Amino acid sequence: MNTEEIVFDTGSGLQQVSPVFETYQKARLQFAQSVADLASKPTANEGLKTGGAVTLLCSLIFDVVPAVQRTALLALGRLSCNNIEIAEEIVKRNLLPLLIDRLRKENTNLCGDRLIDKQLYKSSAAFVLRSIAKHNKTLAEAIIEKDGLEAIKVCIKESDPLIKESAIWTIANVAKHSEDLAWIVVSEDLGFIPMLIISLSEYDLRIVRVAISAIYEISKHSEPLCQILMLHNVVPVIDRLLDCEDIKLKRLLIPTLTQLSRHSDELAVKIATESRSIEIAIRELSHEDPGCRRNCAVYLLECVNHTDELTQRTIQAGSITKMVEYIQTHQCEDRIPGVMFLGNLATKSDDMANAVIFEQGIIALCTSLDTDTNSEVREIAAWTLGYLGSYSPSHAKALSEEDAVTLLAVLALKPDTPIELKTKCMKSLKMVLEQCMDLETLDIILADAPNDILNMILNQYIKILKIDGKARSRFITSGSFRRVQQLAPKPGSETAKAIRSINYCFPPEVIQYYTSGYFEDLLKEVENFQPPPDHHLNSHENRRRSEGGDNSDVISE
């Protein structure tokens, strides 16, 4: 532990008591350092607050020893970072003016140890401001009211990376709370935006990361704020950073482009045009870091939320194939952007739905619907399948071939299916059934279908049986015709009308054959039937048969 000694005049008579003062100095420093160490553990915060650590630390920031001052500030910064009540107490104690005043002073006239002390103090004081600003709008406004942003402007110009990092972080923490605070940050008087853009070119990755974070927090509020960032050519600067290997920075870059794109079609198209964002996002869907992969999936989802031209560009870059792979290799919440991506494509047009089907999207969606434990993933997958199969019989057939229609029916009719998922599956099932022309699929669903689904199935039977003779044969041989005849609808109901329309597609003999009771009557008629004589047999045999004799030996002609 570094300590700074107070020098005593050996000839003054105080030499004998100097160890006492040295012990006191070391104790103050040790206390501040111990609290700073404990403050980094959130579980210890409440105990330190209850024990009066804040009061003692506030007195130590006025200590005559610089090391004690800055260590006390470090401890206060850590405590206020983890506990909003401590941050509020620091503001109430009116310590902000002291910290801000010292931060506003430039270090141009300092040198040697004095410069180092000043920089270390500024670093700790800036850390306190950043920690206070993070909690809520009220605390952020307290910093602004005390001209804290003017002090931050001075700190950003410092050469010390720790001071600069905490200063930019303070900007991010102020801007994140509301749009009006973000507008204060981007005001031309302060000139923070050019400073942030310049900071993106720093060699120190910590500064680059926090500068991107500040841009992210500003851009999330509104389109006009994003337009100001665009005027300062932020996208080309970000684009140059997209090839970086730093994982922490990678996790920030694509989300920033996502926020910039979110507010309008114009911004989304411009960002995609001025950067390699789409191509890189598709490439990074297979990145080793889960956070990077998810961020890229969210950005691609944002792209297909805008114009058809941007959506087409995203598809042509190979996004569907990579997104299907993404869905199949992720679980739960991480699947959501991928499933929503396919869902948004499915709702746009039949051609885009075909593209999803062609790239085996149905299989990935069925896997998500059937096996995922996250209810939101399953609901989105069901919704997407409904749209994929709603365009035409060929779309519905693609779902039937992958048993997607059957899966929707099982979940829609299963008693223990969660109510929201059941509702989504039922709605999607109806959308697909309106286009489904596959008898086998309809037959599977027929058995347990409720009335509204039953009527849809019967109406689809009518569409098929009217135009397809072979389908009529299969309808009989599969037993479906018998099952339909065995239904007992109320006279005049929709179901009864549908069954009558189905019967019109068959000869009367077939209807008569399957009418209730006809088969039993036919058996009785068989029992009572008397075969006529066979003239091909000889008269002796005919006589034996007429007398009821044995006819087991047939005499050939």
Side-chain angles (χ1 to χ4, degrees):
M1 183 184 300
N2 294 326
T3 61
E4 298 179 13
E5 299 181 358
I6 300 175
V7 179
F8 295 96
D9 183 0
T10 56
S12 63
L14 294 178
Q15 186 174 4
Q16 295 178 351
V17 298
S18 63
V20 177
F21 289 95
E22 291 173 1
T23 301
Y24 176 53
Q25 176 184 327
K26 290 178 181 178
R28 300 195 310 276
L29 186 60
Q30 185 175 7
F31 171 78
Q33 186 64 59
S34 298
V35 174
D37 292 340
L38 288 170
S40 61
K41 303 173 183 177
T43 54
N45 273 218
E46 193 58 39
L48 290 170
K49 179 176 176 291
T50 305
V54 177
T55 302
L56 295 171
L57 290 171
C58 286
S59 64
L60 290 179
I61 65 174
F62 299 101
D63 198 274
V64 296
V65 180
V68 175
Q69 292 179 18
R70 60 178 178 262
T71 307
L73 283 173
L74 176 64
L76 283 174
R78 289 178 178 175
L79 285 170
S80 59
C81 184
N82 295 321
N83 193 312
I84 186 173
E85 293 178 356
I86 293 177
E88 290 171 342
E89 185 176 348
I90 292 172
V91 174
K92 288 176 183 178
R93 287 177 175 271
N94 205 29
L95 295 177
L96 286 180
L98 170 68
L99 300 178
I100 290 169
D101 182 62
R102 294 198 180 183
L103 287 173
R104 291 177 69 173
K105 294 178 180 178
E106 298 184 6
N107 298 328
T108 54
N109 297 324
L110 300 175
C111 60
D113 294 339
R114 288 186 63 201
L115 176 59
I116 295 173
D117 290 341
K118 194 74 173 179
Q119 287 177 326
L120 291 173
Y121 182 91
K122 276 194 170 186
S123 176
S124 299
F127 175 59
V128 175
L129 286 190
R130 147 191 159 188
S131 300
I132 292 172
K134 69 172 276 191
H135 291 292
N136 59 37
K137 183 179 180 181
T138 302
L139 289 172
E141 286 175 337
I143 292 174
I144 295 172
E145 289 170 2
K146 302 298 182 182
D147 292 331
L149 293 183
E150 291 291 344
I152 292 301
K153 184 176 178 179
V154 173
C155 291
I156 293 179
K157 297 176 182 178
E158 292 281 354
S159 59
D160 188 303
L162 292 177
I163 299 174
K164 184 175 291 190
E165 179 188 7
S166 288
I168 298 174
W169 211 322
T170 305
I171 294 173
N173 286 345
V174 169
K176 74 178 182 180
H177 295 299
S178 69
E179 184 177 352
D180 56 330
L181 291 184
W183 275 111
I184 293 173
V185 167
V186 303
S187 66
E188 292 184 5
D189 293 340
L190 290 171
F192 282 138
I193 299 301
M195 291 180 180
L196 294 176
I197 302 299
I198 292 171
S199 297
L200 293 179
S201 301
E202 289 275 354
Y203 288 105
D204 193 318
L205 283 176
R206 293 173 300 176
I207 295 175
V208 178
R209 290 188 210 117
V210 74
I212 281 290
S213 297
I215 292 170
Y216 173 89
E217 298 295 352
I218 293 168
S219 65
K220 72 180 184 181
H221 293 293
S222 68
E223 182 181 356
L225 284 168
C226 291
Q227 293 287 5
I228 290 177
L229 291 167
M230 297 293 283
L231 288 173
H232 286 84
N233 296 317
V234 67
V235 172
V237 179
I238 294 177
D239 183 64
R240 290 197 295 270
L241 295 170
L242 288 175
D243 292 319
C244 74
E245 297 299 325
D246 182 70
I247 298 298
K248 292 181 179 179
L249 183 55
K250 274 183 177 289
R251 289 179 183 173
L252 295 167
L253 293 170
I254 292 293
T256 303
L257 293 177
T258 303
Q259 289 293 357
L260 289 166
S261 303
R262 186 158 288 167
H263 301 288
S264 72
D265 292 347
E266 179 188 353
L267 284 173
V269 172
K270 189 172 183 180
I271 288 166
T273 303
E274 293 183 358
S275 70
R276 300 162 295 148
S277 53
I278 291 177
E279 293 77 10
I280 288 179
I282 293 172
R283 183 189 73 192
E284 299 296 339
L285 278 176
S286 55
H287 194 276
E288 61 182 9
D289 180 70
C292 289
R293 295 197 297 267
R294 192 178 195 282
N295 290 341
C296 291
V298 172
Y299 175 70
L300 293 172
L301 169 61
E302 188 60 43
C303 287
V304 299
N305 280 341
H306 293 283
T307 65
D308 288 344
E309 291 78 12
L310 186 56
T311 301
Q312 198 63 46
R313 177 175 173 176
T314 306
I315 293 174
Q316 290 173 352
S319 59
I320 299 179
T321 303
K322 296 293 289 186
M323 198 65 81
V324 168
E325 292 176 6
Y326 174 88
I327 293 171
Q328 291 173 330
T329 55
H330 288 72
Q331 295 289 333
C332 299
E333 291 84 358
D334 287 339
R335 262 185 178 156
I336 292 175
V339 177
M340 287 188 68
F341 176 88
L342 298 185
N344 283 12
L345 292 181
T347 61
K348 284 182 176 288
S349 69
D350 56 344
D351 287 337
M352 292 186 184
N354 278 330
V356 173
I357 293 170
F358 180 78
E359 297 293 350
Q360 307 300 315
I362 295 175
I363 297 174
L365 292 167
C366 287
T367 301
S368 301
L369 176 60
D370 191 31
T371 65
D372 209 292
T373 57
N374 183 279
S375 58
E376 187 176 358
V377 170
R378 301 181 76 192
E379 290 167 21
I380 299 170
W383 166 76
T384 303
L385 287 169
Y387 273 98
L388 284 177
S390 67
Y391 289 102
S392 69
S394 62
H395 289 83
K397 182 179 180 181
L399 265 68
S400 298
E401 290 173 348
E402 301 295 345
D403 294 328
V405 185
T406 306
L407 178 59
L408 287 170
V410 168
L411 291 172
L413 304 176
K414 196 175 179 182
D416 59 348
T417 301
I419 185 65
E420 290 188 2
L421 178 59
K422 182 188 287 285
T423 302
K424 287 282 193 310
C425 289
M426 184 65 76
K427 184 176 180 180
S428 293
L429 181 61
K430 290 178 180 179
M431 292 169 68
V432 179
L433 285 179
E434 288 181 357
Q435 298 293 339
C436 184
M437 302 290 279
D438 182 71
L439 281 178
E440 185 177 350
T441 301
L442 295 171
D443 291 346
I444 294 172
I445 303 172
L446 177 67
D448 302 313
N451 282 339
D452 53 346
I453 296 296
L454 174 62
N455 290 334
M456 292 187 71
I457 294 173
L458 295 177
N459 287 331
Q460 291 308 111
Y461 280 147
I462 295 168
K463 292 178 186 178
I464 299 169
L465 298 174
K466 279 184 177 180
I467 61 175
D468 192 341
K470 291 183 178 180
R472 291 194 286 269
S473 296
R474 291 197 304 272
F475 192 64
I476 293 173
T477 57
S478 67
S480 297
F481 188 86
R482 178 187 291 277
R483 285 195 293 272
V484 168
Q485 301 306 315
Q486 290 172 347
L487 296 173
K490 292 181 180 180
S493 65
E494 291 297 322
T495 304
K497 293 177 182 177
I499 293 174
R500 187 164 60 250
S501 295
I502 289 174
N503 291 345
Y504 286 153
C505 299
F506 294 89
E509 295 82 3
V510 175
I511 308 302
Q512 185 182 13
Y513 181 82
Y514 284 101
T515 301
S516 179
Y518 175 80
F519 190 67
E520 289 75 10
D521 293 341
L522 187 62
L523 286 176
K524 289 180 182 179
E525 187 175 339
V526 170
E527 291 175 3
N528 298 327
F529 178 71
Q530 290 296 327
D534 189 343
H535 298 292
H536 292 287
L537 300 176
N538 61 32
S539 59
H540 174 71
E541 186 62 28
N542 283 334
R543 189 166 54 253
R544 286 183 59 190
R545 290 188 61 183
S546 64
E547 293 173 356
D550 183 17
N551 62 350
S552 59
D553 295 328
V554 178
I555 300 174
S556 60
E557 186 176 355

